[in-house]
Amino acid sequence: MTIAPDALAELDAALPHGCLLTDPDLLASYSHDWARDPDAVLPAAVARPTRTEEVQAVLRWAGRHRVPVIPRGAGSGLSGGATAVRDSVVVSTERMRRIDVDPVTRIAVAQPGLLNAEVKAAAAEHGLWYPPDPSSFEMCTIGGNVATNAGGLCCVKYGVTTDYVLGLQVVLADGTAVRLGGPRLKDVAGLSLTKLFVGSEGTLGVVTEVTLRLIPAQPPSCTLVATFASVQAAADTVLAITRSLRPSMLEFMDRTTIGAVEDALKMGLDRTAEAMLIARSDAPGAIASEEISLMADACTASGASEVFTTDDPEEGEAFAAARRFAIPAVERLGSLLLEDVGVPLPKLPALVEGIASIARTRNVLIAVIAHAGDGNTHPLIVFDPADAAMAERARLAFGEIMDLAISLGGTITGEHGVGRLKKAWLPDQVGKDVMDVTARVKQALDPLGILNPGAIL
Amino acid sequence: MTIAPDALAELDAALPHGCLLTDPDLLASYSHDWARDPDAVLPAAVARPTRTEEVQAVLRWAGRHRVPVIPRGAGSGLSGGATAVRDSVVVSTERMRRIDVDPVTRIAVAQPGLLNAEVKAAAAEHGLWYPPDPSSFEMCTIGGNVATNAGGLCCVKYGVTTDYVLGLQVVLADGTAVRLGGPRLKDVAGLSLTKLFVGSEGTLGVVTEVTLRLIPAQPPSCTLVATFASVQAAADTVLAITRSLRPSMLEFMDRTTIGAVEDALKMGLDRTAEAMLIARSDAPGAIASEEISLMADACTASGASEVFTTDDPEEGEAFAAARRFAIPAVERLGSLLLEDVGVPLPKLPALVEGIASIARTRNVLIAVIAHAGDGNTHPLIVFDPADAAMAERARLAFGEIMDLAISLGGTITGEHGVGRLKKAWLPDQVGKDVMDVTARVKQALDPLGILNPGAIL
């Protein structure tokens, strides 16, 4: 259905002046996220609330007029979770940017539009740390992190977003604002609704405030970089390390990625290596260096070609930054379809081999980076959008990689979310009965189906 | 409604021989858990399945005949979560005791009837560790731990049950068995249903298999014991420690508890102290001892009367065991009403003071132990059940402690669950709108209301 002009005027009147954008030129940048969903269209309007009450006003209006609401953070999502649909209103949290850190309770109470990096910085002012660190941490919002249950590089030791969310304020489909959980480190009063809303990708409510657990500042890290002549040798090393140690980072890059990063950053990486691992220990004091030394032994035992270790935090950060730069570096080779499949750890070599096989069969370049310690890979499928046949082959490879992950007992998405781009594969992974449970929960909380319709379900 | 005898015969026929108990003498021990809910009655029968399919048969039968099903682990619950109701069938998981540990994937796949201690032991055989450690870990089941999202002593550093549950098999109200999550360290495919079922106290489904994340074995710990002339001084120390360190245990006992433990164990504890803290560091190598030394400094700075530290694991374990023995020790003084309230950390002194005030007003003895680093306290209300007036005063104190916790921004239950005993206070804590969301989720997943009716809701 089309939104009547007087309905939009009614919404505009219900919101503070300047909150609602309807100028098509302004709307264009709100139509899709980084996934560039080909089905994206201009929304009818974009609301940019600053307060929970304004989000409530939008939802109440949307319920009355049956208008789809698309919650949106920074638009850095990679699965089309923030694709605008026809005659929808995008709720952008860009102006919801307050944060309060309580160092005694060790929590931060943040509005959703704050960047992950800003949350980290606010915590650091008090000697505290908010661990989850998606590679996009300098541009993604904490609200988006909550919506996708975002992961990152240090999650192999410190866990993902949901492990740090103590409480939420959420506006439900009918405009009711509820507080779930709160500033209590342990709280089992009632169903685990806070956890249900984390990772729900805007399909159950709009998060307007997040209460985050903070921990003492991370000690300085020691870092290891090792190169391998085969992916299997690198994967063996990952299993050997995680068997007895808890690295604070354990990342993998394949030959294509190494080359792309070296092209961009000129760091002197070994372009002939088939695989590279970057590992870190943040164990306190001298133990970090001892642990890195044990990890180096594991690399050597698996036949690493080169092993470099450093206890200089800046030098170590350069390698971590190289890893974080992998996606932009590979993006210089063409447009990307960004995968996010994960498998049980021992299946990592089979996954990486299978991806190489798909790349050969489909004749597309696929670079692989991975949060190896979590079994979570990001195959980056490179294609030229001007070459329709290649774009189609890339699209097929995208699906085949998910099929492969499912066949290995894995997941179609480790940390990016299902959004719209991966929705067709979700039933294959979780099965019809779990889809039915999902639909029942969605129906119970959003009976009109106005919250981010088309995402997940 | 009453269950017709031929309906019970139908259930018996649907299950393997010996699975269903109907002899009233045998049923008696299944009528209540440790909370000794005064409303407990004999169930009509107890099913003791060994396989998921048998649980499905019970649920399908229960749905057809509208019979309440009460899931039960070891019966060590403290909130009446396993109270049998009239004409119900208890599903006891006591015979579901298989476990497989996969040390490469670092997971355990366990049936729910295994004891927490047995899960720990199975992991330890492979040099791995399952951290959550309720004080009852030698007698409580992993299924019960999942149902209540159980905590414990090391959770202050390592998190609670939900942080280790990667996957579940659950039999839903209609008898469908679903697999949620799986052996993947990161997985955001679809709604966070695994997390929703953890802590749902048997109201949404019956857990028949749990996939648990394991981590490398815990290094040996150093331990600190300190006594204080005031609760405030001990609480100040807790805040000072958690501000910059991550102890692997940070426990509190008040004067009454110290005396009761000393009566029982004759360890030479200082009976004149108003408060005692037991703290641990399991940081690797020599760092544990360095951290304990910093914690000792914090105790001294807050005016501790005595501070004792040890890097002898056995000596340290004796103090941890003393803390774990606190509940049985206090139980020697009379019957107990066991509280489980939690508050934001800075409110800990106000909570402990308020509890002392309630004890005076109601003229009952209340011993306080606490997972202090989590702000989670266990006030133990001691009463003589033969003294009706005192039992009534204890009951009033039980409710007033929850009222106090709520007034301090806290929770009525940190780790034991709402069950039936705390149900009346849940709306006061979470509010009408969250109760409504809870009811909608419950209705969506158990429309006939046959799963543990009367618990939580």
Side-chain angles (χ1 to χ4, degrees), chain B residues 194-263:
Chain B
T194 311
K195 299 275 187 194
L196 175 64
F197 278 84
V198 176
S200 62
E201 303 192 35
T203 63
L204 303 182
V206 181
V207 170
T208 58
E209 189 187 279
V210 191
T211 300
L212 296 165
R213 180 169 71 95
L214 306 175
I215 63 177
Q218 187 179 29
S221 298
C222 292
T223 305
L224 167 155
V225 184
T227 49
F228 299 84
S230 75
V231 167
Q232 181 70 52
D236 288 346
T237 307
V238 169
L239 293 177
I241 289 174
T242 56
R243 185 75 178 74
S244 58
L245 296 167
R246 302 194 69 196
S248 57
M249 178 187 296
L250 187 47
E251 295 289 318
F252 168 96
M253 304 201 307
D254 73 351
R255 183 179 182 133
T256 304
T257 312
I258 297 168
V261 170
E262 181 59 20
D263 285 346

Side-chain angles (χ1 to χ4, degrees), chain B residues 411-423:
Chain B
T411 177
I412 59 171
T413 175
E415 57 183 11
H416 293 170
V418 172
R420 289 168 180 81
L421 268 56
K422 303 200 144 199
K423 184 171 55 162

Side-chain angles (χ1 to χ4, degrees), chain B residues 302-318:
Chain B
S302 305
S305 342
E306 269 193 284
V307 184
F308 170 80
T309 66
T310 178
D311 56 7
D312 176 18
E314 278 184 38
E315 200 172 22
E317 185 50 32

Side-chain angles (χ1 to χ4, degrees), chain A residues 397-408:
Chain A
F398 185 75
E400 285 164 357
I401 290 173
M402 285 188 275
D403 295 338
L404 171 64
I406 293 169
S407 76
L408 293 169

Side-chain angles (χ1 to χ4, degrees), chain A residues 31-329:
Chain A
S31 68
H32 61 78
D33 57 26
W34 268 31
R36 296 176 186 282
D37 185 345
D39 296 335
V41 296
L42 279 197
V46 174
R48 299 175 306 152
T50 57
R51 301 161 63 233
T52 298
E53 291 75 6
E54 293 161 23
V55 177
Q56 293 183 270
V58 174
L59 267 297
R60 285 198 203 101
W61 171 88
R64 277 198 304 276
H65 296 278
R66 303 285 196 277
V67 173
V69 170
I70 312 296
R72 179 187 178 90
S76 59
L78 294 165
S79 302
T83 301
V85 302
R86 232 176 116 66
D87 292 309
S88 65
V89 169
V90 169
V91 173
S92 165
T93 59
E94 68 199 86
R95 301 201 300 177
M96 302 186 78
R97 296 181 35 77
R98 277 200 311 276
I99 184 166
D100 286 303
V101 175
D102 172 351
V104 187
T105 316
R106 272 182 301 126
I107 57 163
V109 178
Q111 284 190 314
L114 224 69
L115 302 184
N116 175 298
E118 292 171 326
V119 173
K120 283 182 188 295
E125 279 179 28
H126 300 271
L128 294 169
W129 182 37
Y130 173 70
D133 57 346
S135 290
S136 57
F137 76 105
E138 287 170 307
M139 64 182 111
C140 61
T141 64
I142 193 71
N145 291 178
V146 169
T148 55
N149 189 15
L153 281 68
C154 75
C155 301
V156 63
K157 180 168 180 180
Y158 289 97
V160 295
T161 304
T162 192
D163 299 314
Y164 293 87
V165 177
L166 296 176
L168 294 173
Q169 185 176 40
V170 182
V171 177
L172 302 175
D174 65 0
T176 309
V178 293
R179 289 195 173 274
L180 305 171
R184 295 156 309 251
L185 296 173
K186 273 184 186 165
D187 186 355
V188 298
L191 295 179
S192 305
L193 297 173
T194 310
K195 298 276 188 194
L196 175 64
F197 277 84
V198 176
S200 63
E201 303 191 36
T203 64
L204 303 181
V206 181
V207 170
T208 57
E209 189 187 280
V210 192
T211 300
L212 297 165
R213 181 169 70 95
L214 306 175
I215 63 177
Q218 187 179 29
S221 299
C222 293
T223 304
L224 168 155
V225 184
T227 50
F228 299 85
S230 76
V231 167
Q232 182 71 51
D236 289 346
T237 307
V238 169
L239 292 177
I241 289 174
T242 56
R243 185 76 178 73
S244 58
L245 295 168
R246 302 195 69 197
S248 56
M249 179 187 296
L250 186 47
E251 295 289 319
F252 168 96
M253 305 201 307
D254 74 351
R255 183 176 180 134
T256 304
T257 312
I258 297 168
V261 170
E262 181 59 20
D263 285 345
L265 300 182
K266 315 263 187 273
M267 300 176 68
L269 304 180
D270 177 7
R271 292 170 182 279
T272 69
E274 285 298 323
M276 184 168 127
L277 290 181
I278 306 168
R280 271 189 171 172
S281 168
D282 65 354
I287 307 291
S289 148
E290 285 175 30
E291 286 193 353
I292 283 294
S293 170
L294 291 170
M295 294 183 209
D297 293 348
C299 293
T300 307
S302 303
S305 344
E306 269 194 284
V307 184
F308 170 79
T309 66
T310 177
D311 57 7
D312 175 15
E314 277 185 38
E315 200 172 22
E317 185 49 33
F319 288 104
R323 161 59 190 87
R324 282 196 208 96
F325 194 69
I327 295 178

